[in-house]
Amino acid sequence: MTRRLSIRAVFAMIAVAASLFVFAQVGTNIPTAKATMDAKTTKAGAVAKGKVVLTFAEGWHGYQNPPMGEYEIPVKVESATKDVKIKVTYPKGIVKDLMGATTAVYEGSVDIPFEFTTSKKPGDYKVKIKISYQQCNDSSCLPPGSITLEVPVKVVK
């Protein structure tokens, strides 16, 4: 019993150490995001334009959308508000050679423009925008993550 218990204890310590390592990487390097609208007000039924600014910590990146490799999980911006569909214009990434493969990534801060058609009814609205990403460095990737933001939209006649 003692040997079996000690093997379990060793595996438990390894699991705790690994989770602390991942937590330390994730906790200090979580990307930040901010969404803004180009104008303070938009006419009812018109196209409203804005942008998401996604910022990765130094040494980290996300894959461009569309990705160059079939196994890369790209940055994705989408509406999380029912009945609001957004059109996103993804910028070109920086082409790099990572682990022997050529790929395109977003590093530092990247501006991602979006647009959508506003309600035909004047009022103050909040549009939720979800940013999905997989953050990687030059040798490994963290599990995919997401950030959801609310953008205020004032619709006028």
Side-chain angles (χ1 to χ4, degrees), residues 26-126:
V26 173
T28 59
N29 297 311
I30 296 173
T32 59
K34 181 178 162 185
T36 57
M37 298 303 296
D38 289 358
K40 291 185 181 195
T41 62
T42 304
K43 291 193 177 204
V47 173
K49 295 182 179 187
K51 72 177 175 181
V52 167
V53 178
L54 179 61
T55 304
F56 291 98
E58 186 174 335
W60 293 90
H61 62 263
Y63 291 105
Q64 84 167 9
N65 194 334
M68 289 179 73
E70 67 179 293
Y71 297 109
E72 297 170 350
I73 299 172
V75 168
K76 183 177 182 183
V77 176
E78 61 191 329
S79 172
T81 299
K82 185 180 178 182
D83 299 328
V84 175
K85 294 183 181 178
I86 64 174
K87 178 183 174 190
V88 180
T89 305
Y90 294 99
K92 295 280 186 197
I94 299 165
V95 177
K96 292 183 87 173
D97 189 33
L98 296 174
M99 297 185 289
T102 300
T103 190
V105 299
Y106 299 139
E107 294 180 324
S109 290
V110 59
D111 291 357
I112 306 170
F114 64 86
E115 61 183 45
F116 60 92
T117 302
T118 63
S119 171
K120 293 182 180 180
K121 193 173 177 183
D124 292 323
Y125 297 91
K126 290 192 180 192

Side-chain angles (χ1 to χ4, degrees), residues 1-2 29 79 92-93 128 133 145:
M1 266 312 209
T2 307
N29 297 311
S79 172
K92 295 280 186 197
K128 288 185 182 180
Y133 59 88

